[in-house]
Amino acid sequence: MESIKKIYRMGVGPSSSHTMAPNRAARRFLKKYPGAARYRVTLFSSLAATGKGHLTDKAIEEVMGSRPLEIVWKEDETLPLHPNGMQFDAFDSHGERCGHWEVYSIGGGALMSSDETELNSSRVSYPLTTMEGLLLHFQKSGNSFWGYVDQCEGPEIRDFLEEVWDTMKGSLERGLEQEGIIPGGLGLSRKAKSLFAKSRMLRSDFRTNGLIAAYAYAVAEENATKGTIVTAPTCGACGVLPAVLYHLFHTLKPSREDIVKALATAGLVGNVVKFNASISGAEVGCQGEVGTGCAMAAAAAAQLMGGSIRQIEYAAEMGLEHHLGLTCDPVGGLVQIPCIERNAHAATRALSCCHFALLSDGVHKISFDDVVAVMKETGQALPSLYRETAGGGLAKAYRGA
Ligand code: SF4
């Protein structure tokens, strides 16, 4: 299992799989073939279907600069290993192909080459890769989720997670200040600032829900406008975890160290999903993105609120379970509708899952690992229309304002 650094990638949105990863792939290809006379990038399946809305072409053009570049969109063709396939070609001045690379964007900004090697992988030693294995280990050793992350990654992970927290907080606070139209053509206005202003005047439950929604909108709107965010575990789901942490940061007033520990726990939860199923909307639908984000946030909240190991697992399990079957059908291929609002709902749900777990003794019938397995199976059974092609569901129903 990889470092949790791959769950938390700091960078520019709006999509970890459609902008961050293609941008990285283009950099890599250009480094290998810097002197070609002309370049061609072919995008397949989901990358081609939603690439324009997700700004995939812009992410590649940004790297290629003024070099001659052709981008070919093949939404009806799928490469063998993953729906998000890309082929990079370089040509010399005689038009002969002098370089070729087939590569896949496999979710959360990660790249995999055609020999199925994950590129730039930073494998650290996580001998335990299932939740059940982790729980048994914690029971025997007295260790904790965050303690296990420390043990596997080394103490330097703390510095990294501090930077993650600062970046999350930065995008959230920036997002709360912004107004105006989100680019892309849907004419969607930013709402975070107004939600925040109105929610502060409310009382009790309404206020909490309103504030958490405002926080999630703030980050997701930053993502949609190409602001810097942290994947958690993807760009599309980047608002859920920061919203919950920011709310608890202001209400419970935990130490910075406690926030870092909560991020470690959430990262481990996301890693277990990524390793055993997928966090890619193109592969398993939104259940893998926002569903995983909700599980991560619920676990982090349960830990911050003093939950036991079993209660933390239960909170995470509910966070994912109640997103099972959730499709990915972004309107216009943009990470806006339903994505932004969905982050807000997942954030409030994460807190409910946490509360519910804390009210229980943590004992329940369906395990987190079971839900992860079902999520994978459900995702694979979803017709491809509902896996980030922007061809079905809400994307099809939308007729414009
Ligand atoms: S619907 Fe969900 S998975 Fe699809 S782009 Fe939006 S946030 Fe990502």
Side-chain angles (χ1 to χ4, degrees):
M1 200 153 78
E2 278 200 306
S3 166
I4 62 166
K5 288 181 181 171
K6 302 296 176 189
I7 292 287
Y8 298 125
R9 287 179 203 264
M10 289 168 263
V12 170
S15 169
S16 37
S17 56
H18 286 57
T19 47
M20 277 186 188
N23 184 284
R24 284 181 51 229
R27 281 179 204 285
R28 216 175 155 110
F29 189 72
L30 188 60
K31 200 167 166 197
K32 192 156 181 204
Y33 302 100
R38 179 168 72 81
Y39 298 89
R40 182 174 67 207
V41 181
T42 310
L43 304 169
F44 292 84
S45 190
S46 164
L47 267 186
T50 56
K52 286 206 174 97
H54 283 52
L55 308 176
T56 306
D57 47 347
K58 301 280 175 275
I60 295 168
E61 284 163 10
E62 185 186 297
V63 176
M64 294 300 190
S66 56
R67 295 170 184 84
L69 168 70
E70 178 193 12
I71 297 188
V72 181
W73 309 82
K74 292 195 173 174
E75 56 193 80
D76 296 328
E77 276 181 50
T78 307
L79 293 180
L81 298 181
H82 193 282
N84 287 336
M86 295 170 267
Q87 285 178 345
F88 285 78
D89 292 294
F91 299 90
D92 64 19
S93 53
H94 306 292
E96 295 293 320
R97 191 163 79 173
C98 56
H100 175 76
W101 187 36
E102 186 170 301
V103 62
Y104 296 84
S105 166
I106 57 171
L111 290 171
M112 181 177 77
S113 64
S114 48
D115 62 2
E116 299 191 45
T117 318
E118 189 154 338
L119 302 168
N120 295 335
S121 89
S122 58
R123 282 190 190 278
V124 296
S125 180
Y126 272 102
L128 302 172
T129 55
T130 63
M131 186 62 85
E132 201 45 44
L134 288 167
L135 293 177
L136 284 173
H137 163 66
F138 299 156
Q139 243 164 352
K140 280 190 201 148
S141 64
N143 205 351
S144 57
F145 287 96
W146 64 264
Y148 189 64
V149 170
D150 252 13
Q151 186 185 314
C152 295
E153 303 247 8
E156 58 279 4
I157 195 67
R158 300 279 186 106
D159 295 338
F160 172 80
L161 292 174
E162 290 216 17
E163 196 186 340
V164 164
W165 174 233
D166 288 338
T167 309
M168 282 181 169
K169 226 160 29 99
S171 58
L172 192 155
E173 288 170 352
R174 235 180 12 256
L176 285 179
E177 290 299 316
Q178 306 299 319
E179 290 175 289
I181 305 291
I182 298 172
L186 294 180
L188 203 63
S189 323
R190 293 179 81 132
K191 294 194 181 79
K193 186 171 182 175
S194 136
L195 278 171
F196 184 56
K198 288 183 199 162
S199 301
R200 279 194 297 181
M201 295 185 292
L202 300 171
R203 284 168 185 254
S204 67
D205 280 2
F206 282 154
R207 179 184 161 93
T208 301
N209 277 349
L211 287 175
I212 293 173
Y215 301 153
Y217 266 81
V219 181
E221 286 174 353
E222 276 297 284
N223 178 57
T225 46
K226 286 192 88 187
T228 298
I229 51 86
V230 185
T231 61
T234 61
C235 287
C238 67
V240 184
L241 180 59
V244 171
L245 288 181
Y246 196 77
H247 168 69
L248 295 176
F249 177 67
H250 284 284
T251 48
L252 301 180
K253 308 210 180 300
S255 66
R256 202 171 155 82
E257 195 185 344
D258 285 341
I259 292 281
V260 162
K261 288 176 180 173
L263 280 168
T265 294
L268 185 53
V269 168
N271 234 1
V272 169
V273 181
K274 184 179 167 192
F275 185 79
N276 295 293
S278 170
I279 55 166
S280 161
E283 210 172 9
V284 293
C286 200
Q287 47 173 0
E289 294 204 13
V290 169
T292 304
C294 183
M296 291 167 64
Q303 178 172 299
L304 279 169
M305 294 175 82
S308 67
I309 296 298
R310 288 274 166 195
Q311 287 169 323
I312 293 170
E313 182 266 350
Y314 189 20
E317 184 273 329
M318 282 186 277
L320 188 57
E321 178 181 344
H322 301 296
H323 284 94
L324 283 178
L326 190 63
T327 57
C328 169
D329 49 2
V331 171
L334 299 159
V335 193
Q336 297 180 19
I337 303 173
C339 321
I340 297 173
E341 194 176 274
R342 186 165 288 170
N343 273 258
H345 283 286
T348 53
R349 179 180 278 182
L351 208 58
S352 297
C353 293
C354 158
H355 292 160
F356 199 76
L358 295 180
L359 288 172
S360 79
D361 56 6
V363 176
H364 58 109
K365 299 286 188 194
I366 304 277
S367 73
F368 183 81
D369 291 328
D370 288 339
V371 175
V372 171
V374 172
M375 192 269 273
K376 185 177 181 185
E377 190 187 314
T378 309
Q380 286 168 347
L382 282 176
S384 62
L385 272 184
Y386 304 107
R387 286 186 273 127
E388 210 165 2
T389 55
L394 296 170
K396 194 173 163 201
Y398 181 76
R399 305 255 183 281

